[in-house]
Amino acid sequence: MLEKLKEIILNYVEAEPEAVTPQARFMEDLGFTSFDFMSMLGEIEDTFDVEIDQKEAADIRTVQEAVDYLEKLKA
């Protein structure tokens, strides 16, 4: 799941692949804007066939938190 998420993240920001680590923060470390983040969530919903709660998504700060959230949705 992390590798697929990494691919999606790199579609939205100009970051080096090695910068996308589980500890990387979307806004501070990877340079996401709110718009980038919301656009990415739409692609994640399509890719993983899940429904992301916008309120819960607002609490996701790191790549690992996103992975954990997706794994919870897929369970």
Side-chain angles (χ1 to χ4, degrees):
M1 175 131 354
L2 177 61
E3 285 308 308
K4 186 63 187 160
L5 187 59
K6 235 173 136 163
E7 286 175 34
I8 294 171
I9 289 168
L10 291 171
N11 289 338
Y12 289 89
V13 288
E14 297 285 327
E16 293 299 318
E18 53 275 5
V20 185
T21 64
Q23 299 79 26
R25 296 168 298 174
F26 286 101
M27 307 292 180
E28 297 88 339
D29 301 327
L30 300 175
F32 269 80
T33 64
S34 298
F35 180 77
D36 293 332
F37 191 72
M38 297 315 271
S39 299
M40 181 189 69
L41 292 180
E43 184 173 341
I44 289 171
E45 285 181 325
D46 293 343
T47 302
F48 293 103
D49 194 31
V50 292
E51 185 75 31
I52 295 174
D53 181 283
Q54 299 300 321
K55 208 179 272 296
E56 290 180 6
D59 293 332
I60 295 172
R61 300 275 177 256
T62 68
V63 173
Q64 186 61 52
E65 287 173 10
V67 169
D68 294 344
Y69 180 68
L70 285 169
E71 287 176 346
K72 186 180 87 175
L73 289 179
K74 293 296 281 180

